Amino acid sequence: MPELPEVETVVRNLNEILPRQRIILKAQHIGQSLRYNLTSKQQQQLRNQKILNIRRRAKYIVFELEKQLLISHLGMTGQWRWENESFDRSDFKKHDHFLLCFKKGYLVYNDPRRFGFLELISKDQEQDYFKGLGFEPDQIQKNLKEIVQMLKLQKTNLKTSLMNQKVIVGVGNIYASEALFLAGLNPLKLALKTSDKQLELLVLSSLKLMNKAIQSGGSSVQNYLNSKNEKGSFQNQLKVYGREGLGCKECGEKIRSIVIQQRSSFFCPRCQKKSS
DNA sequence: CGAAAAACCTGGCAGC
DNA sequence: TGCTGCCAGGTTTTTC
């Protein structure tokens, strides 16, 4: 479910929620397993550790602890939900899978599809863990030339290239369609047949879009909620995603949907001609 | 080898 | 009212 703007929103509200009660009293898996799970030893290791900070790398959440790093990925449907001290076991919801207990409340990880995961790594392992990931949004401007060259080497179409997390991180299925629309580029156009200028525009469009989406608390198209159970509002500003058959907001032409890499892609056939 | 497809899951919705 | 098939903000593994 979450692309970079949604994960960033979650990280920001986790930092708001936990300012004074950062000692983990207990950590435990409940219910069904996730893609990767903490061993019981690792759950023990989390006890009495203080959370120093919570940050994001690509679409991963990093809980910075005193001794280690707790990595959380939300997959398609993961959510960290805050519950106050009145919460008890009978309040567990369907698909709650992991629990962090604090003095004044609980962080509950819920994930219907269970594509998300948790891993505990040492601080030394972080660089290795994230190796292979591309540039963060705030690194795009100063590395623009290199990013364009990396895109140029991609042998596939623009949408697939843009979603390749080895080049720039954070763009998922929604923002890929949106960025291509913003840049006026056809999703099926080959990266190597696209000019440097156009690739630059595509990358900058992605950057602009992700920053704007963060401002709006992300997009809640289906069921994304932040850690306060609130929806984002950027779905109201989407120009093409989910708008098949509706009129293009720029030119009125009907928005089309095609499948690329087994994912729905939306574009305006007039604003995003393949030849341009 | 690299690109494409399948796999991992559950829930919701359209259509019969 | 089922039931079936298809679709859904991601990433890794398998296949060709």
Side-chain angles (χ1 to χ4, degrees):
Chain A
M1 87 186 177
E3 300 180 39
L4 186 145
E6 291 74 35
V7 178
E8 177 64 26
T9 302
V10 168
V11 165
R12 288 183 186 185
N13 47 73
L14 287 174
N15 275 311
E16 275 177 47
I17 287 165
L18 288 174
R20 280 163 193 275
Q21 40 195 325
R22 294 181 161 244
I23 312 262
I24 298 170
L25 301 180
K26 190 176 179 184
Q28 71 173 150
H29 278 285
I30 49 186
Q32 289 176 286
S33 60
L34 302 169
R35 189 145 68 92
Y36 311 132
N37 303 281
L38 301 188
T39 63
S40 43
K41 188 180 169 190
Q42 289 174 324
Q43 292 171 56
Q44 285 295 324
Q45 287 178 328
L46 288 176
R47 280 193 122 138
N48 300 317
Q49 273 208 66
K50 192 173 189 176
I51 297 177
L52 303 175
N53 186 30
I54 302 166
R55 51 190 167 82
R56 180 192 57 70
R57 173 73 174 106
K59 299 171 193 168
Y60 299 76
I61 298 169
V62 180
F63 292 84
E64 213 176 312
L65 310 173
E66 290 166 291
K67 297 173 191 163
Q68 291 131 314
L69 302 175
L70 175 64
I71 309 292
S72 159
H73 195 291
L74 302 176
M76 290 282 248
T77 52
Q79 184 202 11
W80 283 104
R81 179 180 87 243
W82 176 251
E83 296 280 3
N84 63 29
E85 61 263 64
S86 65
F87 180 84
D88 81 32
R89 291 193 159 268
S90 62
D91 299 325
F92 277 131
K93 296 184 180 173
K94 196 171 184 182
H95 307 304
D96 283 349
H97 302 302
F98 188 79
L99 184 64
L100 285 177
C101 307
F102 300 89
K103 197 170 177 185
K104 294 200 171 169
Y106 305 85
L107 272 181
V108 188
Y109 182 76
N110 184 283
D111 190 348
R113 290 177 73 179
R114 295 191 279 135
F115 286 177
F117 59 82
L118 291 163
E119 291 191 277
L120 189 64
I121 64 170
S122 72
K123 296 191 180 185
D124 294 347
Q125 287 174 288
E126 181 176 11
Q127 197 166 5
D128 200 46
Y129 190 87
F130 290 130
K131 77 171 187 297
L133 284 177
F135 292 104
E136 284 289 327
D138 63 2
Q139 300 298 312
I140 285 178
Q141 290 283 5
K142 69 173 97 141
N143 295 287
L144 199 51
K145 292 280 174 283
E146 187 181 345
I147 292 167
V148 165
Q149 289 320 304
M150 286 169 82
L151 284 174
K152 205 104 195 183
L153 293 175
Q154 304 283 309
K155 286 170 182 135
T156 182
N157 59 68
L158 286 178
K159 189 187 181 223
T160 306
S161 305
L162 188 58
M163 289 177 67
N164 181 353
Q165 303 296 303
K166 292 176 179 168
V167 184
I168 61 171
V169 299
V171 179
N173 203 41
I174 293 178
Y175 297 112
S177 282
E178 294 297 313
L180 285 156
F181 176 81
L182 204 55
L185 292 167
N186 189 286
L188 285 173
K189 183 166 181 158
L190 294 176
L192 77 172
K193 288 197 167 183
T194 307
S195 71
D196 288 10
K197 193 106 186 168
Q198 288 177 315
L199 290 172
E200 203 167 289
L201 179 62
L202 180 59
V203 173
L204 292 176
S205 299
S206 307
L207 173 60
K208 198 166 149 187
L209 204 54
M210 287 197 281
N211 282 334
K212 277 182 77 175
I214 291 168
Q215 299 295 314
S216 302
S219 301
S220 295
V221 167
Q222 232 181 30
N223 50 28
Y224 162 75
L225 296 172
N226 69 20
S227 294
K228 300 171 176 174
N229 267 339
E230 301 160 339
K231 287 186 174 188
S233 64
F234 199 72
Q235 66 277 11
N236 301 319
Q237 295 182 58
L238 299 178
K239 299 277 179 65
V240 289
Y241 186 86
R243 299 192 69 250
E244 183 181 14
L246 300 175
C248 170
K249 293 184 176 181
E250 295 296 325
C251 77
E253 185 86 9
K254 278 190 176 177
I255 299 300
R256 287 195 49 204
S257 169
I258 53 171
V259 174
I260 301 174
Q261 293 264 112
Q262 312 172 93
R263 318 291 291 255
S264 294
S265 309
F266 300 86
F267 70 103
C268 169
R270 191 183 293 174
C271 298
Q272 298 170 266
K273 288 195 191 304
K274 207 168 178 180
S275 52
S276 69

